[in-house]
Amino acid sequence: MAQDPEGPRLPPARGPVSAAVSEYLLGAGPLPGDADVARAAVYGDDLQLALYLCYELHYRGFAGVSPDPEWDPALLRTRAALEHRFLTALRADTPVHDSVEDALGGLLVEPVDGTGAGHYLRDEGELWQLREYAAQRSLYHLKEADPHAWVLPRLWGRAKAAMAAVEFDEYGGGRPDRVHAQLFADLMTDLGLDTTYGHYLDAACAEVLATVNLMSLFGLHRALRGALVGHFAAVEVASSPGSRRLAEAMRRTGAGAAAAHFYDEHVEADAVHEQVVRHDVIGGLLTEEPHLASDVAFGVDATGLLEDRFADHLLAAWRSGRSSLRAPLDSEISHIS
């Protein structure tokens, strides 16, 4: 099949594993060997980029890459090896609560003196840091809700209906201008960022790649449907208070109306979504498949683990006056100061 002219460009490799995957996608070399995969740091740039490249074939692909590798058996075997290392590490490193209620319980309590990235951005973050945050988050938000849509064929009854209802809202309720990915693109425009899908992949840190890879890992495997529901619940429960903080940060720094509106929309919508996901998506799923409760709790807690790693990376860089990105943002515009 002909090469695909659309999609983002393949980014530069970050090590032997991602280099080999990139070359294979271009028909220019073999896939990485087992030894290279085994040596790559699980949460590091090389393995996370290689896994991201494999997953992105199921979304929009890459410019100059044929659609054929999406179901290439050899590439799928390599992806499985990368996934095995990632999932094994997550299971070993994630402290999992005894129940879904306990896992979600901590997320429902807003800390009085929070110290996360959202609190930092609200209280003292500068506009350049908000731009970096948006650039990195764009790897997910420009395809917002897409990884979660994979779970719909794996659900039925009350869980399916409730999940579809939440996804319908994420996709703008049928209005293209209200699709959340479009609202994030509008936010990026206010911040003087390039809204091209995948534009900031090369600049993004390994920690944010891992958060996006987690969604694809859970979404693309039926066996992990419970974990995907847990992940989605964690996102929705934390979204409303987190979005309120970021909306305040956007206003304080003068980022622009569209920048604040994206997070205002999530304050309202996700306060409702959180209830639907907890009571109907999780409740419906566990009524039908109670044996998935531990998987749901794992999805909640693994999400927290990776989000904390990303926040730690951001704060370590910003508090020392450094950029959190691997490469500087490309351009400024006149109204950003």
Side-chain angles (χ1 to χ4, degrees), residues 22-33:
S22 294
E23 290 171 5
Y24 188 81
L25 294 178
L26 295 170
L31 286 163

Side-chain angles (χ1 to χ4, degrees), residues 195-282:
T195 62
T196 305
Y197 181 88
H199 179 79
Y200 293 104
L201 176 55
D202 185 36
C205 64
E207 289 81 1
V208 81
L209 293 184
T211 69
V212 183
N213 284 339
L214 183 74
M215 304 181 210
S216 298
L217 170 66
F218 289 167
L220 287 167
H221 291 271
R222 188 177 68 84
L224 295 172
R225 62 194 179 280
L228 188 282
V229 167
H231 165 80
F232 192 57
V235 170
E236 295 299 319
V237 168
S239 178
S240 187
S243 293
R244 183 176 290 106
R245 289 190 288 272
L246 290 169
E248 292 173 10
M250 294 294 177
R251 290 192 178 89
R252 182 179 59 77
T253 57
H261 176 68
F262 174 82
Y263 290 110
D264 286 337
E265 174 73 11
H266 284 69
V267 171
E268 298 295 330
D270 291 344
V272 176
H273 292 172
E274 176 253 312
Q275 295 291 322
V276 175
V277 172
R278 286 175 58 215
H279 295 297
D280 294 318
V281 179
I282 293 178

Side-chain angles (χ1 to χ4, degrees), residues 305-323:
L305 174 78
L306 294 185
E307 287 294 333
D308 286 347
R309 287 178 57 86
F310 179 46
D312 289 346
H313 168 81
L314 294 175
L315 293 175
W318 292 341
R319 285 173 173 155
S320 65
R322 295 182 290 106
S323 171

Side-chain angles (χ1 to χ4, degrees), residues 143-215:
K143 61 182 176 193
E144 185 169 339
D146 291 350
H148 305 118
W150 295 111
V151 82
L152 283 168
R154 287 93 186 251
L155 304 175
W156 61 89
R158 180 157 60 108
K160 180 190 283 285
M163 188 74 187
V166 175
E167 288 284 274
F168 185 63
D169 284 350
E170 301 282 348
Y171 290 131
R175 293 178 52 188
D177 60 312
R178 302 296 303 163
V179 172
H180 285 189
Q182 179 58 55
L183 296 181
F184 195 80
D186 297 340
L187 171 151
M188 295 178 75
T189 297
D190 259 6
L191 291 173
L193 297 171
D194 192 313
T195 62
T196 305
Y197 181 88
H199 179 79
Y200 293 104
L201 176 55
D202 185 36
C205 64
E207 289 81 1
V208 81
L209 293 184
T211 69
V212 183
N213 284 339
L214 183 74
M215 304 181 210

